[in-house]
């Protein structure tokens, strides 16, 4: 059984594997792969619900998907994302919403942001809920950041990322996701904190990696530079559905094997 202590102990010894899952079948596949962490990411907004950002994702959406993932992966270490506006309004609301994600089946929660969320993180941790931080490109702030921009390119951005990473560690985070961060800065952050960094588009020197399930299996329409497709499931599924249609039209399906007598 994976615990936050085991995840922290893996830093510098063994790469940590995290992958997203959103429902029963993807959770089952992710769990059977042996990945240490399953993230029910608010990327479900783009990947599953067809929105163009994560901003419309609600707590209700997250609770439904965390419950489905828990059913598909009964013994996995599951991190549930805190969606936009579930933790920004007040510390009390943040603790309450983090608790709801745990009640739905998550082992920990993830929230986006740096030093400005130190007190929120402290109070969630005080309530007994492990918190994973998320720095670099933070998708819920896409409007403020002006698009999917790689972070850490300027001295100011580098210093802010380092300061934020230290603040998250001090506030009690057990790990930090670094998204779209230049490799040298991701390495510097990884070397300067005692908790693991888990990168996505943050290069080779993080303590672990995270990818979106649909990018790994080739089910998403986009082919991202920082991700890797290990299969073309879109093509496999599309061919299967076309074949089914053709067989119904040509009366090849159902045949004698599919009937009840
Ligand atoms: O929502 C998500 O899937 C994430 C990962 C990209 C880290 O936050």
């Amino acid at each position: 059984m994976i615990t936050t202590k085991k995840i922290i102990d893996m830093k510098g010894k063994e790469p940590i594997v995290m992958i997203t899952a959103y429902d029963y079948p993807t959770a089952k596949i992710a769990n059977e792969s042996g990945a240490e962490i399953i993230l029910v990411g608010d990327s479900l907004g783009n990947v599953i619900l067809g929105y163009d950002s994560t901003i419309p994702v609600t707590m209700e959406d997250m609770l439904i998907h965390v419950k489905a993932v828990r059913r598909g992966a009964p013994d996995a270490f599951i991190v549930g994302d805190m969606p936009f506006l579930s933790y920004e309004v007040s510390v009390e609301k943040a603790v309450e919403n983090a608790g709801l994600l745990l009640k739905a089946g998550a082992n920990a929660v993830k929230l986006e942001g740096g030093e400005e969320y130190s007190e929120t993180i402290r109070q969630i941790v005080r309530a007994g809920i492990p918190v994973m931080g998320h720095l670099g490109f933070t998708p819920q702030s896409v409007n403020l950041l002006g698009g999917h921009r790689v972070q850490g390119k300027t001295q100011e951005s580098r210093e802010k990322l380092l300061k934020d990473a230290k603040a998250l560690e001090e506030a009690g985070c057990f790990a930090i996701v670094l998204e779209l961060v230049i490799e040298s800065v991701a390495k510097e952050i990884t070397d300067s904190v005692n908790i693991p960094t888990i990168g996505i588009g943050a290069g080779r020197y993080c303590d672990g990696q995270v990818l979106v399930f649909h990018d790994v299996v080739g089910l998403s329409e986009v082919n991202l530079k920082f991700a890797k497709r290990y299969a073309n499931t879109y093509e496999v599924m599309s061919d299967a559905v076309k074949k089914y249609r053709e067989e119904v039209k040509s009366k090849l399906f159902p045949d004698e094997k599919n009937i009840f007598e």
Side-chain angles (χ1 to χ4, degrees):
M1 177 77 184
I2 297 286
T3 58
T4 52
K5 185 181 177 309
K6 280 199 183 148
I7 292 163
I8 293 169
D9 285 347
M10 287 173 78
K11 184 177 174 78
K13 293 187 196 122
E14 182 188 339
I16 299 160
V17 182
M18 179 157 99
I19 184 161
T20 68
Y22 309 98
D23 53 21
Y24 181 85
T26 55
K28 209 163 164 350
I29 294 168
N31 199 27
E32 284 167 8
S33 77
E36 277 84 22
I37 307 175
I38 296 180
L39 170 67
V40 187
D42 63 352
S43 52
L44 95 89
N46 312 73
V47 179
I48 303 295
L49 303 176
Y51 296 129
D52 63 1
S53 79
T54 58
I55 289 170
V57 177
T58 63
M59 270 302 292
E60 288 70 28
D61 294 330
M62 288 307 305
L63 294 175
I64 289 168
H65 288 272
V66 167
K67 285 180 194 167
V69 168
R70 175 52 78 202
R71 288 192 288 268
D75 58 349
F77 188 91
I78 297 173
V79 177
D81 241 343
M82 300 203 67
F84 182 58
L85 284 194
S86 69
Y87 58 97
E88 297 90 333
V89 177
S90 70
V91 172
E92 290 73 21
K93 199 78 203 153
V95 175
E96 191 180 333
N97 282 327
L100 290 176
L101 287 167
L102 247 70
K103 280 177 188 271
N107 299 93
V109 300
K110 175 167 81 59
L111 59 86
E112 297 179 7
E115 201 175 12
E116 64 279 16
Y117 287 105
S118 290
E119 186 51 24
T120 304
I121 292 165
R122 227 170 256 125
Q123 292 306 321
I124 297 175
V125 173
R126 183 199 52 79
I129 303 166
V131 179
M132 177 179 277
H134 186 155
L135 296 174
F137 173 69
T138 44
Q140 291 172 19
S141 307
V142 64
N143 294 304
L144 210 60
L145 297 170
H148 289 67
R149 298 251 166 89
V150 178
Q151 307 292 308
K153 285 185 171 175
T154 64
Q155 187 61 13
E156 190 190 354
S157 162
R158 173 188 158 271
E159 279 168 16
K160 167 122 181 63
L161 283 167
L162 277 161
K163 197 160 169 247
D164 281 341
K166 291 214 170 101
L168 293 189
E169 179 180 19
E170 264 170 44
C173 283
F174 70 94
I176 306 172
V177 165
L178 297 178
E179 179 165 356
L180 295 187
V181 175
I182 63 167
E183 190 177 62
S184 58
V185 173
K187 182 176 187 319
E188 209 178 338
I189 294 170
T190 302
D191 292 343
S192 67
V193 293
N194 296 306
I195 53 173
T197 58
I198 303 182
I200 174 161
R204 295 162 288 181
Y205 304 109
C206 293
D207 297 302
Q209 297 291 328
V210 53
L211 282 179
V212 163
F213 186 96
H214 292 55
D215 294 338
V216 171
V217 302
L219 198 48
S220 35
E221 286 147 279
V222 285
N223 205 351
L224 302 158
K225 175 181 164 69
F226 59 80
K228 188 166 175 181
R229 277 185 181 198
Y230 291 86
N232 192 343
T233 316
Y234 192 96
E235 209 173 285
V236 171
M237 289 170 91
S238 179
D239 286 349
V241 176
K242 280 181 195 151
K243 216 170 214 164
Y244 157 68
R245 181 193 165 276
E246 276 162 25
E247 290 203 354
V248 172
K249 293 284 181 193
S250 59
K251 302 195 175 177
L252 281 170
F253 176 83
D255 68 14
E256 69 272 12
K257 291 197 294 291
N258 307 112
I259 61 163
F260 300 103
E261 284 175 319

